[in-house]
Amino acid sequence: MVELSELGTPVENTWCPGCGNFGLLMTFKNALVELGLEREEVAIVAGIGCHGKITDYVNVNALHTIHGRVLPTATGVKLANHGLTVIGFAGDGDAYNIGIGHLPHAARRNVDITYVVHDNLVYGLTTGQTSPTSKRGYVSKTTPRGSFEPGINPLVQALASDASFVARGFAGEPHHLRELFKQAISHEGFALVDVLQPCVTWNRVNTYQFYRERVYKLEEEGHDPGSFDEAYMRAREWGDRIPIGVLYREERPAYRKNFPALEKGPLARQSPEKVDVKRLLKEFK
Amino acid sequence: MTAQGVNGSSVSILIGGEAGQGLSRSGSLLGKALMRGGLHVFGSIDYPSVIRGSHNFYTLTVSDEEVHSNGDSVDLILALNKETVLLHVDELSPGGVIVYDEGVKISSEELGRDDVRLLPFPLTGIIKEIGGPEVIRNTVALGAGLGLVGYDVELMKSVISDAFAGRDTIIEMNHTAIEKGYGYAREHYADAVPIELRPSGEDPDRIIVTGNEAVALGAIAAGCRFYAAYPMTPASAVLHYLISTEEETGMTVVQTESEISALNMVVGASYAGVRAMTATSGGGFCLMTEALSLAAMTESPLVLMLGQRPGPSTGLATYTSQGDLLFAVHAAHGEFPRVVVAPGDVEECFHLTVEAFNLAERYQIQSIIVTDKQVIESHKSTPAFETEVGIDRGELEIVDEWGGEEGYKRYSITESGVSPRILPGTVGATVFANSNEHTEYGYTTSDALETRVMVDKRMRKGSSLRAEIAGLSPVKVYGTEDADVTLVGWGSTKGAALEAIKALERDGMKARFVQVVYIEPFPTEAFKAALGSGGRRLLIEGNRTAQLGQIIKLHTGISFEDTLLKYDGRPFTPGEIAARAMEVL
Ligand SMILES: Cc1ncc(C[n+]2csc(CCOP(=O)(O)OP(=O)(O)O)c2C)c(N)n1
Ligand code: SF4
Ligand SMILES: [Mg+2]
């Protein structure tokens, strides 16, 4: 079982002081420790953006992929070695703009991966442009008159896509977030954890203060994550009150269970017993 | 001689009708029946991109010798509708015959020729008589054709029994259809036709496959265990075949939501240590370019088949082209070594796919197999593939525990540029693959020196790759040394070029063909040696801009005065190559 001290890397962290990513990173490491996982059995896949730097900061197997492609890449890793616990990290731009085409598919397939979205409602790395989760009226250098597009609702998107685990956390609530991470990672199938992650440099609206005044915990209000309708109602809530916690959970076989080859164990570990190609040729004779 | 056409030792049969009449299937079954009799066949389908209603035709060329492509004319037309007669009558050799339904009226003006024979058959009558569905029409016609040329009908029936194994009523219906067509031909037109096809009596170990099937079989033989793709003509059949054999091969096959997803999944699987592949056509390859660059940066070995069709854009979705060669060589941002290899027939599709996997893994690079509709959707009989292939996984070490002194470095600097690879999941190590420029450990860097060192490391792989490819027959030569003309080409052009050599020979001319098999890294020395110094040269390509010619010029300084370029979606025919060769002589 991995110790917290083993999860660090020698790389200097370049996130802005006070960035919500710090809380998210620490919480993630703690979750791995508490789950009793080994360093070697974890593989993380990250997109491009401030969030993506996470692969430099956690000493587990990692694949830093390209902008928006965390889900297909993570799916490939998981199918090729389902012995690995695969966790994807994406940004809101990464996950819900350029990469949103993959979300419904990973969700409906129920690929056995956890998808953590660092949702700061802004493009951090590319210096503060409006993101798909930015709310209507959000002012940035790409929307100087205020965004006239309604923001995307990632939780509703995930529910509509048959995701079997949908949760929202807040980087300013590390203990709560840690429990979400643990549940998501333990969940069989696709688990989305959208994390409200304040960007202290660019997003002056959705700050720690903003969220502290608004977030409430679903489990404290008797929310039933087994009810899709209730989850849908909560997913649409964003105003004076913003729910965090597990919105929806459903037991459904993971994607990999559909592949006969994977019953024999992880593909990457299967001894390359030769397929009888001669036998296959018979069909062509 | 067991194959005798109206004007030579090969026989071409054209089956034409509407889309939805199962022509490609019928044509290939006929091909198989002829192959089982010891004959050689090549069959190709011509179909517009519609599922039902428009004109399709399948051309099968049969001979005692190996057949590399269809010819320029046909001996026998099996017309399932009137349109087929009118569209193809001009392709008939003098003395050729047309089988058609007796209910169809064709005037001699419509036909426009008096040197061919129309043979009416009660195709519709037979369908009614046996109570068969309309799709059985082509089977009746096949039977008629076999009866006319006097072939062994039992061979055809055995092929049908195998193709529909387990579906007894379908088999019975098709057998009856074959027999009825056959019987009618024997009874009414025995010896009426100057075409003969007889089993040779030999039983060589041959198969009849498409290039798509051959690539898929090559991938299986090479130990590929992960395949992800999005359907796109003409490459979809690789996906179909690999899914259909999934249980037998243990391959994990995914139909993805897009080509973007497909190649990224392949990168993920490759990172995890599994041999992985995708296939697509031009439009899909466009979507894959960013992930190709990711694979290069992360040094994830993989194989990608690009099955060309005419572009730009949707182009002619179901026709052939060689217009994406430069794209394959240059696709994706950044500089990195890659393999681009172009098989010219089904046998090469099989073996070069295996080679592509080995090269990809040995150098931890990406191999692109460039094919086209003509080679991957056409059927060819060929000696059964040599399936005992070597699998070389290069520097990949599958161990349970990492034994290194220090931490594992995914990108350790080595003389060859290739770094030892282990599987993520190996105890005592973590494997970090990074799309950012990185250190030996995989950590992100923007340091100038570290960047130079890493770029050099990746590019060093290209030098050893170039040397290795020089030893792999990257350029092949066919025909005699003292030829009057040297034909130069790549990919599916090979088939028509080899047939053109034979045709020229019959006219007393000596020709040779230089086939460039590996396009990248370009085998400069091998090409120069193969080209030789004397004689006329003719460059043949299925594109508008002589793309191989541009590559040759870049690497060797040699340019071609004479070219034969075709860009109408249709494959080359031996006749047009031979005619152009005569012109340049
Ligand atoms: C294909 C592509 N387009 C654009 C970019 C530039 N780019 C890098 S990160 C980014 C957006 C980052 O926003 P987000 O995903 O929300 O991540 P954050 O920085 O906020 O964590 C963009 C547009 C890129 N890397 N790749
Ligand atoms: S720009 Fe924003 S998201 Fe990026 S590191 Fe700084 S605070 Fe964090
Ligand atoms: Mg963001």
Side-chain angles (χ1 to χ4, degrees):
Chain A
M1 273 175 286
V2 71
E3 305 273 337
L4 193 57
S5 59
E6 295 170 308
L7 285 174
T9 69
V11 180
E12 188 196 341
N13 193 310
T14 56
W15 283 328
C16 309
C19 172
N21 281 329
F22 285 103
L24 193 158
L25 169 66
M26 190 38 118
T27 305
F28 173 64
K29 288 184 184 174
N30 280 324
L32 292 184
V33 172
E34 288 188 18
L35 284 168
L37 290 164
E38 298 292 349
R39 225 166 34 133
E40 298 90 341
E41 56 185 324
V42 177
I44 64 174
V45 179
I48 302 296
C50 293
H51 65 273
K53 297 181 184 178
I54 197 165
T55 44
D56 273 316
Y57 306 146
V58 194
N59 188 11
V60 293
N61 298 295
L63 175 50
H64 193 123
T65 181
I66 46 179
H67 196 33
R69 312 303 164 203
V70 167
L71 288 177
T73 316
T75 301
V77 175
K78 185 70 189 185
L79 289 177
N81 189 346
H82 63 259
L84 295 170
T85 296
V86 180
I87 300 133
F89 293 91
D92 43 321
D94 197 89
Y96 306 136
N97 245 2
I98 193 166
I100 194 155
H102 305 299
L103 177 62
H105 304 287
R108 74 190 171 93
R109 289 176 184 135
N110 207 26
V111 184
D112 203 357
I113 54 182
T114 301
Y115 195 32
V116 176
V117 181
H118 304 223
D119 193 354
N120 51 12
L121 287 74
V122 72
Y123 279 21
L125 192 67
T126 45
T127 67
Q129 297 88 349
T130 294
S131 107
T133 49
S134 301
K135 299 298 169 189
R136 202 194 285 269
Y138 182 75
V139 176
S140 81
K141 52 181 95 163
T142 52
T143 51
R145 289 174 283 127
S147 175
F148 39 78
E149 299 171 9
I152 220 166
N153 184 326
L155 304 180
V156 166
Q157 293 285 338
L159 286 169
S161 305
D162 271 341
S164 60
F165 184 102
V166 181
R168 179 194 276 140
F170 171 38
E173 286 274 2
H175 295 293
H176 181 257
L177 183 60
R178 189 173 65 213
E179 289 312 307
L180 291 183
F181 280 161
K182 283 160 62 182
Q183 288 182 50
I185 293 169
S186 312
H187 175 73
E188 179 178 324
F190 182 79
L192 171 72
V193 186
D194 186 78
V195 183
L196 302 172
Q197 173 248 313
C199 167
V200 295
T201 302
W202 303 110
N203 191 330
R204 302 297 162 83
V205 180
N206 307 103
T207 59
Y208 284 99
Q209 184 66 20
F210 173 89
Y211 290 123
R212 284 211 176 93
E213 286 167 5
R214 290 169 174 82
V215 298
Y216 74 93
K217 295 176 182 144
L218 285 165
E219 57 280 9
E220 287 173 2
E221 304 214 354
H223 171 69
D224 171 16
S227 160
F228 183 89
D229 292 344
E230 221 180 291
Y232 190 79
M233 302 253 297
R234 300 277 187 182
R236 288 177 51 92
E237 202 177 353
W238 184 284
D240 293 343
R241 282 165 59 79
I242 298 173
I244 56 174
V246 179
L247 277 91
Y248 185 68
R249 177 192 282 129
E250 177 197 329
E251 300 297 323
R252 207 165 88 219
Y255 187 52
R256 65 182 164 82
K257 304 224 159 135
N258 300 299
F259 296 92
L262 304 187
E263 284 161 23
K264 286 180 273 173
L267 269 187
R269 287 273 167 193
Q270 281 178 25
S271 61
E273 59 194 68
K274 282 255 181 94
V275 176
D276 191 354
V277 185
K278 269 209 168 66
R279 231 181 74 188
L280 293 174
L281 289 186
K282 281 197 187 127
E283 182 195 335
F284 303 101
K285 287 190 172 167
Chain B
M1 193 73 78
T2 52
Q4 183 61 52
V6 289
N7 57 2
S9 61
S10 79
V11 176
S12 281
I13 304 170
L14 183 150
I15 317 167
E18 279 185 10
Q21 287 182 316
L23 297 177
S24 185
R25 174 94 161 150
S26 300
S28 65
L29 293 179
L30 176 61
K32 190 183 269 191
L34 295 165
M35 178 192 74
R36 283 189 183 175
L39 296 164
H40 298 260
V41 298
F42 182 93
S44 67
I45 178 78
D46 183 301
Y47 63 109
S49 185
V50 291
I51 299 303
R52 231 160 246 294
S54 76
H55 184 65
N56 275 12
F57 63 97
Y58 187 92
T59 314
L60 189 71
T61 304
V62 195
S63 172
D64 293 317
E65 298 174 7
E66 184 172 7
V67 193
H68 304 279
S69 89
N70 294 126
D72 289 77
S73 57
V74 296
D75 302 70
L76 169 63
I77 293 176
L78 304 176
L80 304 187
N81 57 10
K82 181 169 176 176
E83 193 183 13
T84 302
V85 179
L86 302 182
L87 282 173
H88 297 285
V89 60
D90 290 338
E91 291 157 40
L92 269 181
S93 298
V97 293
I98 300 174
V99 167
Y100 72 113
D101 186 68
E102 61 186 10
V104 172
K105 296 293 165 241
I106 299 167
S107 66
S108 50
E109 292 84 63
E110 277 179 307
L111 197 61
R113 289 181 70 169
D114 55 12
D115 59 347
V116 298
R117 279 191 70 187
L118 278 172
L119 304 181
F121 272 74
L123 300 179
T124 308
I126 292 174
I127 297 171
K128 284 217 181 92
E129 184 192 333
I130 63 179
E134 177 56 33
V135 292
I136 206 96
R137 183 175 297 269
N138 51 38
T139 316
V140 182
L142 288 186
L146 290 169
L148 290 179
V149 302
Y151 195 70
D152 180 357
V153 73
E154 292 307 317
L155 285 171
M156 188 72 227
K157 283 163 65 183
S158 75
V159 165
I160 291 199
S161 302
D162 295 347
F164 299 101
R167 292 145 80 189
D168 289 348
T169 36
I170 295 184
I171 294 174
E172 210 172 296
M173 172 83 66
N174 278 282
H175 280 184
T176 315
I178 291 279
E179 279 163 2
K180 293 276 177 194
Y182 189 88
Y184 191 92
R186 295 312 300 162
E187 195 177 316
H188 294 85
Y189 304 116
D191 309 319
V193 175
I195 309 169
E196 209 176 292
L197 285 174
R198 276 183 288 114
S200 71
E202 290 171 56
D203 185 19
D205 190 16
R206 285 195 202 127
I207 53 173
I208 176 170
V209 284
T210 62
N212 272 326
E213 288 159 346
V215 166
L217 287 162
I220 294 167
C224 174
R225 291 295 174 267
F226 185 84
Y227 184 84
Y230 187 83
M232 188 167 188
T233 305
S236 306
V238 177
L239 175 63
H240 303 163
Y241 181 73
L242 291 176
I243 288 188
S244 74
T245 51
E246 195 178 38
E247 294 200 30
E248 215 167 325
T249 61
M251 199 181 293
T252 291
V253 184
V254 182
Q255 179 187 337
T256 60
E257 63 272 27
S258 65
E259 287 88 352
I260 293 178
S261 176
L263 194 56
N264 280 288
M265 267 193 207
V266 165
V267 171
S270 170
Y271 161 77
V274 171
R275 280 200 163 183
M277 175 176 177
T278 186
T280 183
S281 189
F285 186 51
C286 288
L287 294 183
M288 290 180 179
T289 51
E290 194 190 11
L292 180 61
S293 189
L294 166 69
M297 187 53 135
T298 54
E299 302 194 42
S300 309
L302 57 85
V303 173
L304 186 163
M305 185 193 81
L306 166 60
Q308 300 165 102
R309 65 191 218 189
S313 195
T314 315
L316 299 176
T318 55
Y319 287 84
T320 201
S321 164
Q322 296 189 315
D324 297 335
L325 185 64
L326 287 169
F327 181 34
V329 169
H330 298 292
H333 55 300
E335 299 172 296
F336 56 90
R338 75 185 74 192
V339 167
V340 176
V341 61
D345 59 29
V346 292
E347 202 278 334
E348 290 174 358
C349 282
F350 180 81
H351 282 290
L352 293 174
T353 299
V354 176
E355 228 162 71
F357 270 103
N358 285 339
L359 290 170
E361 201 147 29
R362 215 166 318 151
Y363 295 93
Q364 298 173 16
I365 55 170
Q366 300 68 48
S367 292
I368 303 172
I369 303 171
V370 181
T371 59
D372 58 41
K373 184 259 176 191
Q374 173 67 3
V375 79
I376 57 185
E377 287 198 342
S378 300
H379 294 95
K380 183 178 183 297
S381 63
T382 194
F385 299 139
E386 189 41 70
T387 54
E388 289 303 311
V389 301
I391 296 180
D392 178 2
R393 305 206 62 185
E395 300 271 319
L396 175 68
E397 227 189 305
I398 301 186
V399 289
D400 291 330
E401 201 165 337
W402 165 244
E405 302 273 288
E406 38 181 4
Y408 171 69
K409 295 176 180 166
R410 171 65 191 92
Y411 303 110
S412 58
I413 300 297
T414 61
E415 213 177 295
S416 66
V418 180
S419 316
R421 246 174 112 208
I422 58 171
L423 301 183
T426 306
V427 174
T430 50
V431 182
F432 186 6
N434 195 340
S435 70
N436 288 303
E437 191 54 275
H438 39 254
T439 66
E440 288 185 276
Y441 285 102
Y443 296 128
T444 303
T445 184
S446 43
D447 180 86
L449 177 62
E450 282 177 342
T451 301
R452 268 200 317 274
V453 166
M454 224 16 103
V455 172
D456 286 340
K457 163 191 142 52
R458 287 191 295 271
M459 295 309 287
R460 264 203 305 284
K461 302 191 291 185
S463 322
S464 13
L465 172 68
R466 183 177 296 276
E468 176 162 358
I469 281 179
L472 290 178
S473 349
V475 181
K476 293 188 186 174
V477 186
Y478 309 84
T480 49
E481 275 296 318
D482 58 338
D484 308 310
V485 61
T486 297
L487 313 174
V488 177
W490 61 281
S492 70
T493 307
K494 173 183 178 178
L498 295 189
E499 293 297 330
I501 293 179
K502 290 192 217 164
L504 286 164
E505 222 165 70
R506 284 193 289 271
D507 289 338
M509 227 117 16
K510 287 186 197 156
R512 58 203 282 275
F513 177 59
V514 172
Q515 178 197 7
V516 183
V517 179
Y518 279 89
I519 315 271
E520 175 66 34
F522 189 78
T524 307
E525 295 313 315
F527 178 76
K528 283 193 198 154
L531 194 62
S533 48
R536 303 290 303 187
R537 294 161 179 169
L538 174 63
L539 176 69
I540 312 161
E541 293 193 60
N543 55 48
R544 178 69 170 74
T545 54
Q547 299 190 12
L548 176 65
Q550 295 181 45
I551 292 170
I552 292 171
K553 169 101 188 180
L554 178 72
H555 292 282
T556 67
I558 298 168
S559 41
F560 288 82
E561 269 170 50
D562 297 308
T563 57
L564 173 59
L565 304 175
K566 191 169 185 177
Y567 40 87
D568 58 5
R570 272 64 183 174
F572 282 104
T573 68
E576 64 195 354
I577 294 177
R580 183 81 182 97
M582 307 264 247
E583 263 176 38
V584 308
L585 271 173

